[in-house]
Each structure stands twice: as structure tokens, then as C-alpha cells.
């Protein structure tokens, strides 16, 4: 949960240095719909009633070194 009490669901995307698009671009509307569905199932299964937020963690790798860009509320 974040400080506001929202349950955060995070999609991690790893891309190497030769990728031409940003990792967040691979979280398209179809993927977002699947994430929303999975989140709804999780909330239902655990009987949770809380606002949600969907984040994306972009992981970049260059010369064996990882760097993470974290995008809060990446899609509504």
C-alpha cells in the first residue's frame, strides 16, 4: 500500500540497450486490461476493499548494470 492507503499493482518491464521503445510502451491497452482483471481477482479473493493504483517499473540494463525508472499511476 502507498501512503494514501491505495493498493499498488506494479508491472515490471526489462529492456536491454538495443530496444527502440520505452518499456512503458509495451504496457498497451490489452495488457492494462489484463492487469486490471488480475487486480480485481486479487482484491476479491483476499476480500479487500481499497482504492488501487497501477505503476510501471522500467528496468534498463546496459553493460551488466541495471537502472530502474519507477512510474506511479502509469495508467488509469
Amino acid at each position: 500500500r502507498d501512503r494514501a492507503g491505495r493498493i499498488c499493482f506494479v508491472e515490471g518491464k526489462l529492456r536491454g540497450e538495443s530496444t527502440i521503445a520505452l518499456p512503458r510502451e509495451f504496457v498497451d491497452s490489452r495488457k492494462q486490461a489484463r492487469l486490471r482483471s488480475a487486480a480485481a481477482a486479487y482484491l476479491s479473493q483476499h476480500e479487500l476493499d481499497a482504492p488501487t493504483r497501477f505503476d510501471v517499473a522500467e528496468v534498463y540494463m546496459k553493460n551488466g548494470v541495471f537502472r530502474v525508472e519507477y512510474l506511479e499511476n502509469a495508467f488509469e
Side-chain angles (χ1 to χ4, degrees), residues 1 3 6 9 13 15 18 20 23 26-27 31 35 38-39 43 48 50-52 56 61 63 67 71 74-75:
R1 291 185 188 242
R3 291 181 186 151
R6 293 174 292 201
F9 295 91
K13 287 293 184 187
R15 292 295 175 257
S18 63
I20 59 173
F26 292 93
V27 185
K31 180 67 173 187
L35 290 168
L43 294 170
L48 297 170
T52 58
V56 173
M61 184 180 72
N63 300 324
R67 177 177 57 87
L71 306 166
F75 58 90

Side-chain angles (χ1 to χ4, degrees), residues 22-67:
L22 293 172
R24 70 189 83 168
E25 295 177 57
F26 292 93
V27 185
D28 59 12
S29 60
R30 204 171 101 214
K31 180 67 173 187
Q32 291 176 20
R34 286 192 304 241
L35 290 168
R36 283 190 191 95
S37 178
Y42 178 86
L43 294 170
S44 175
Q45 182 178 16
H46 294 278
E47 298 179 357
L48 297 170
D49 184 22
T52 58
R53 188 180 81 202
F54 294 90
D55 301 346
V56 173
E58 297 182 324
V59 181
Y60 297 91
M61 184 180 72
K62 185 174 182 180
N63 300 324
V65 177
F66 291 95
R67 177 177 57 87

